[in-house]
Amino acid sequence: MVSTELLNSLHTLSRADKLYIMQVLISELAQEETNLIKPDQSYPVWSPYDAFDAANTMLEVLQAAKSQNND
């Protein structure tokens, strides 16, 4: 949980300092993300190929929206 004191300190910073803090935090988050995917590993990837139920649901929604627009 973020402390109220920290949030108050951030609110008092100049725009340039706030941007710098954002840059540091985003860099740290990006570094953590690179550690999630390990080399020489296989990861499952979902594909819409043969997803007939999903296609049918989308078609029903599109047809319902089309009929609402025509009313």
Side-chain angles (χ1 to χ4, degrees), residues 1 9 20 24 30-31 34 44 55 58:
M1 190 75 171
S9 297
Y20 175 73
V24 169
Q31 184 61 36
T34 59
M58 286 183 64

Side-chain angles (χ1 to χ4, degrees), residues 9-22:
S9 297
L10 290 172
H11 286 295
T12 62
L13 293 175
S14 69
R15 183 174 189 276
D17 288 340
K18 288 177 184 176
L19 289 171
Y20 175 73
I21 295 294
M22 286 176 44

Side-chain angles (χ1 to χ4, degrees), residues 9-59:
S9 297
L10 290 172
H11 286 295
T12 62
L13 293 175
S14 69
R15 183 174 189 276
D17 288 340
K18 288 177 184 176
L19 289 171
Y20 175 73
I21 295 294
M22 286 176 44
Q23 182 181 8
V24 169
L25 292 174
I26 290 170
S27 294
E28 287 183 11
L29 286 171
Q31 184 61 36
E32 291 173 9
E33 292 293 319
T34 59
N35 296 333
L36 294 177
I37 298 176
K38 297 179 177 35
D40 300 322
Q41 292 280 337
S42 63
Y43 297 94
V45 176
W46 181 83
S47 170
Y49 187 75
D50 289 336
F52 300 112
D53 291 337
N56 190 42
T57 300
M58 286 183 64
L59 183 59

